[in-house]
Amino acid sequence: MNGVAPVTHEKAGEGCLILDAQDNVVGGDPLLVDYHLIQGGEEGGCLALPTVLQLVAMARTMEMKLHRKVRFIAGRQEIVAWASVHPGEPETIVRLSQIEARASITATGPIPSQFALRLQAEAWLHVDADNVIISGQCTPALAAQQPQLPAQLQRVLGGRWSAFLQPAEDSDLITLYQRGQLPAWQMLDGAVMASTETPSQRWIARIFALDHNAMFEWLLLPVDGLAVTALARTTAYEGAETAETDAPTRLFADQVAPALRGPVGRIMANAQTIRDRANGPLRQDYVSYAGNIADAAEHLLALIDDASALEEVDNPDETLDIHVLDLVDVARRACGLLAMKAAARDIRLDCPKEDESVMCRGDFRRILQILLNLLGNAIRYSPESSMVWLRAEEDGDVSRLIVSDQGSGLSREQQARVFNKFERLGRSDDGGSGLGLYIARRLARAMEGDIIIDSAPGQGARFIVELPGAEAG
């Protein structure tokens, strides 16, 4: 190969790529260079493996070595490997180890409506990119049948999903699980899973990626009376029919949103397949077009989520799962989920220290939702190369989470409007719905707390989430 210097390693299953300052492949192991070429990359051209290139960009931005598991498509195979990026001048070294080649996963048929499947789920998990469970719930009906499940869900919070679930039927998945190797989430989507403590309790797992694969929603669906093949045929319209009989008062969330999610989800999935060159090499301009389509579809799904959440928080019958929990833990999880978004704008997140603890009473999932909104806004509207601080504190029977930024700040008139429904403060091009802060404050007040602002033009903003202390009530 002209212009590419081969590099060899003695150990099988390892290799490296050498990139110049413009991310062009200037050397490396023949196998890894072949992956780059199969995906439409050119000899001596920019690296054509999106997930690896993203990790390189983060390492350059943060000026530090980064290590992470990566997945990418090469021809008809999905490649899974452990990547280590060593940024430097004039060359950056990308080392791949524990390389596994798997059969490529190609989606066929209509994509199920995520909301329609939620209506059938018996339990829900939110799992982060490191396979750690950050929240879990089950239906009252299932809790009545299996009284130990709610306690088990509480015990496994902060642990890996494998502490709660195990593959039940697929021999390949069971083998990987027994070896302590957690399968890729795409392999687990649609698999039959069993409770680790009660193996007779089984579900079909449907997994949906959230926030650019920073978090995943696991929906555990009943096996009895629900065939695996039937899941693939579930459509948004079937979900809408179910919602119509179960909860006719929630028009958008139960009927309109499912009807929108299916088509938009298919657009996004197909555009992502084209963007990632999953079916072979493609011209770069077409890859860019597909990326724009995927981003637009993802944005539209986010707006659908906001509208559904709006209807949910405005529902007087909505219930919360109130427990005593640690605000520092929630803050650190939120920082982890948005670390990539912050790094992309060269924004440093200053989180509470791991040994700190501030207890409160609240709904874990809702507090995380509030904090992701506030932290996401701080990252979006702060200048590049600035800092965002998160602090937790106790004051008598009130516990607080504080998000501070170095942005342009808010005038008194803006502070009076910022929590209004559909208010965007004149930002017509930020892509937001104007619902995030309204929803966040409604959730805080539903937990007997509030969100207040301390800001002035040119001096940044402090959003303070107040919640009842652990001893309150």
Side-chain angles (χ1 to χ4, degrees):
M1 292 178 289
N2 297 330
V4 178
V7 179
T8 59
H9 288 272
E10 295 181 1
K11 187 175 180 181
E14 291 189 356
C16 77
L17 288 168
I18 303 174
L19 309 181
D20 66 12
Q22 286 72 46
D23 297 330
N24 296 316
V25 179
V26 296
D29 291 272
L31 174 64
L32 303 191
V33 175
D34 280 346
Y35 289 154
H36 159 74
L37 296 175
I38 288 171
Q39 283 308 99
E42 299 177 355
E43 293 188 11
C46 184
L47 180 63
L49 308 176
T51 54
V52 181
L53 190 59
Q54 182 182 35
L55 189 60
V56 170
M58 287 181 58
R60 290 190 193 280
T61 300
M62 300 173 70
E63 298 182 352
M64 61 183 294
K65 297 177 184 178
L66 292 180
H67 312 275
R68 185 165 299 171
K69 182 170 283 189
V70 295
R71 297 176 176 83
F72 54 86
I73 301 297
R76 297 180 179 276
Q77 292 181 317
E78 180 193 34
I79 308 301
V80 182
W82 185 259
S84 298
V85 177
H86 303 254
E89 294 292 344
E91 295 175 339
T92 291
I93 306 298
V94 180
R95 300 189 183 278
L96 297 185
S97 60
Q98 303 176 36
I99 299 172
E100 298 179 36
R102 302 172 178 172
S104 178
I105 299 172
T106 304
T108 59
I111 296 175
S113 160
Q114 184 177 355
F115 196 88
L117 293 177
R118 281 199 194 112
L119 298 176
Q120 305 174 51
E122 292 185 329
W124 308 261
L125 300 176
H126 277 88
V127 178
D128 69 14
D130 295 322
N131 294 303
V132 173
I133 299 174
I134 60 175
S135 66
Q137 289 180 297
C138 65
T139 64
L142 182 61
Q145 295 174 6
Q146 303 283 352
Q148 80 286 356
L149 272 177
Q152 184 186 2
L153 280 167
Q154 288 300 309
R155 286 197 303 274
V156 299
L157 289 181
R160 289 192 163 192
W161 62 258
S162 53
F164 181 65
L165 295 171
Q166 58 187 351
E169 293 183 358
D170 189 303
S171 59
D172 291 335
L173 294 179
I174 293 172
T175 299
L176 287 173
Y177 175 86
Q178 290 174 341
R179 291 175 179 172
Q181 299 172 298
L182 300 186
W185 69 270
Q186 294 97 329
M187 297 176 65
L188 294 165
D189 187 26
V192 177
M193 308 291 284
S195 165
T196 53
E197 294 189 5
T198 313
S200 61
Q201 176 62 58
R202 296 187 173 194
W203 300 280
I204 296 168
R206 292 307 320 275
I207 304 174
F208 295 88
L210 308 172
D211 195 19
H212 302 284
N213 288 355
M215 185 162 61
F216 300 86
E217 181 174 48
W218 289 48
L219 304 179
L220 303 182
L221 300 138
V223 174
D224 296 338
L226 187 65
V228 177
T229 53
L231 288 175
R233 296 194 296 270
T234 302
T235 67
Y237 303 101
E238 292 170 339
E241 291 169 4
T242 303
E244 185 174 1
T245 59
D246 289 350
T249 59
R250 296 175 55 180
L251 176 63
F252 187 88
D254 292 347
Q255 298 184 43
V256 179
L260 292 174
R261 283 181 182 278
V264 176
R266 286 193 287 275
I267 291 170
M268 184 172 70
N270 290 329
Q272 287 173 339
T273 299
I274 297 170
R275 180 195 62 191
D276 296 339
R277 297 183 173 99
N279 295 321
L282 192 67
R283 277 172 40 185
Q284 183 58 44
D285 53 346
Y286 290 144
V287 172
S288 298
Y289 301 152
N292 291 337
I293 294 170
D295 289 344
E298 186 173 12
H299 172 61
L300 183 54
L301 284 176
L303 295 180
I304 294 170
D305 284 340
D306 280 349
S308 297
L310 172 65
E311 193 170 56
E312 186 176 347
V313 299
D314 281 343
N315 181 357
D317 297 327
E318 182 66 22
T319 59
L320 298 171
D321 186 18
I322 303 297
H323 295 283
V324 174
L325 52 89
D326 189 351
L327 284 178
V328 170
D329 177 61
V330 182
R332 292 182 61 82
R333 291 181 188 276
C335 285
L337 291 172
L338 294 181
M340 291 179 61
K341 183 176 181 179
R345 303 195 66 241
D346 193 24
I347 291 175
R348 180 184 167 195
L349 300 181
D350 189 356
C351 302
K353 301 297 184 289
E354 193 170 358
D355 58 356
E356 295 180 38
S357 179
V358 173
M359 308 305 291
C360 77
R361 291 183 59 81
D363 182 317
F364 176 92
R365 184 169 64 95
R366 297 309 194 183
I367 296 175
L368 182 63
Q369 182 179 352
I370 292 169
L371 194 52
L372 288 174
N373 178 278
L374 298 180
L375 189 56
N377 281 348
I379 294 169
R380 183 181 299 113
Y381 299 123
S382 292
E384 293 189 3
S385 304
S386 62
M387 182 179 289
V388 174
W389 293 266
L390 283 86
R391 293 291 180 265
E393 61 182 36
E394 291 177 299
D395 182 8
D397 58 356
V398 175
S399 296
R400 296 189 179 96
L401 267 176
I402 305 168
V403 180
S404 307
D405 62 52
Q406 295 178 304
S408 58
L410 299 170
S411 66
R412 289 187 179 277
E413 187 267 338
Q414 288 175 320
Q415 293 177 43
R417 293 162 40 206
V418 72
F419 289 107
N420 292 345
K421 197 181 297 186
F422 304 112
E423 179 57 62
R424 295 164 64 186
L425 298 180
R427 300 182 178 113
S428 58
D429 59 348
D430 66 357
S433 64
L435 291 171
L437 289 176
Y438 171 82
I439 292 170
R441 176 175 264 185
R442 285 296 300 266
L443 290 173
R445 289 179 172 177
M447 291 182 284
E448 300 182 0
D450 205 350
I451 302 178
I452 57 179
I453 309 174
D454 178 14
S455 181
Q459 298 182 20
R462 296 171 73 240
F463 283 82
I464 304 166
V465 184
E466 295 190 339
L467 294 166
E471 303 300 325

